[in-house]
Amino acid sequence: MESFLTAMTWLALREVLTKIRTGPSNRLSPVIAILNGMTELRAIQNCGANFNVCKPVSSGTIKAQLNQALDAMQREHRRYFRYTVSLPLFVGAEKDDLTAARLINVSAEGLAVRLSRSLKLEGTASLRFDLPSIEPYRMEAKGEVAWEYAEGQIGIKLSHMSEEARRRYGE
């Protein structure tokens, strides 16, 4: 979900916000709440609304809040957008004991890997691969295993890499 905007009672809104914020995919989605008055403001912020507009709503106020929400939605979209790639990669629990694998997609926060053989990875994984370029760059990083599929695919959320590696990965 990219965003959520609706009018409902305070109790219904609190229930919806709780469900949004506890879901793994939507917990960071921008939410705009339109409130009857300032008395609800603190309570609704505590439930997870990012942007709040109090009635009566003016076009200037709602436009400003929607522009801020759009910025947040674009950041959230970049976080999950994945680029399909096919690159050799080495992955394993220890930096000195890596197994050949295939990098199949990348995002701003992590990557998906297809393992060449059965490998049980949990927790932190070490990674090594070359970023393609006119001058290839050897990436060495660590990440947390975020998910695993039975067909030998794993998702890794990048967590530790040098500043230079992070800069080049972001390019």
Side-chain angles (χ1 to χ4, degrees):
M1 173 170 61
E2 297 262 350
S3 67
F4 188 76
L5 175 63
T6 188
M8 58 181 63
T9 67
W10 156 243
L11 290 174
L13 183 57
R14 185 175 64 188
E15 183 179 335
V16 168
L17 281 172
T18 300
K19 287 180 180 178
I20 289 170
R21 294 304 179 222
T22 56
S25 298
N26 299 324
R27 63 185 171 79
L28 299 176
S29 295
V31 177
I32 299 171
I34 299 176
L35 310 171
N36 288 324
M38 292 298 287
T39 56
E40 296 175 343
L41 183 60
R42 176 76 61 202
I44 205 71
Q45 286 174 330
N46 289 339
C47 288
N50 308 84
F51 307 98
N52 305 291
V53 178
C54 292
K55 292 180 183 177
V57 178
S58 72
S59 61
T61 302
I62 196 73
K63 184 178 179 182
Q65 292 294 315
L66 288 172
N67 282 333
Q68 288 180 355
L70 179 60
D71 291 342
M73 286 186 287
Q74 288 171 335
R75 279 192 306 275
E76 184 71 0
H77 180 72
R78 281 191 304 270
R79 185 174 155 242
Y80 284 107
F81 184 78
R82 295 192 169 274
Y83 296 95
T84 301
V85 297
S86 181
L87 297 172
L89 163 107
F90 293 91
V91 61
E94 299 293 328
K95 183 179 178 183
D96 297 327
D97 186 24
L98 301 178
T99 299
R102 197 100 195 136
L103 184 57
I104 56 177
N105 69 46
V106 298
S107 73
E109 303 267 328
L111 40 87
V113 174
R114 178 171 289 119
L115 301 172
S116 58
R117 66 177 176 86
S118 180
L119 180 67
K120 186 66 176 166
L121 279 177
E122 294 178 343
T124 302
S126 293
L127 307 162
R128 186 176 68 227
F129 60 98
D130 291 334
L131 285 176
S133 165
I134 292 172
E135 296 178 27
Y137 179 78
R138 170 71 40 100
M139 285 286 300
E140 292 194 12
K142 290 190 178 202
E144 299 300 316
V145 176
W147 52 264
E148 183 175 356
Y149 291 146
E151 58 270 3
Q153 292 183 16
I154 60 172
I156 300 173
K157 182 176 190 233
L158 295 171
S159 56
H160 306 298
M161 65 175 74
S162 71
E163 284 187 38
E164 176 68 7
R166 186 157 304 278
R167 184 185 66 77
R168 288 187 181 233
Y169 182 81
E171 294 175 348

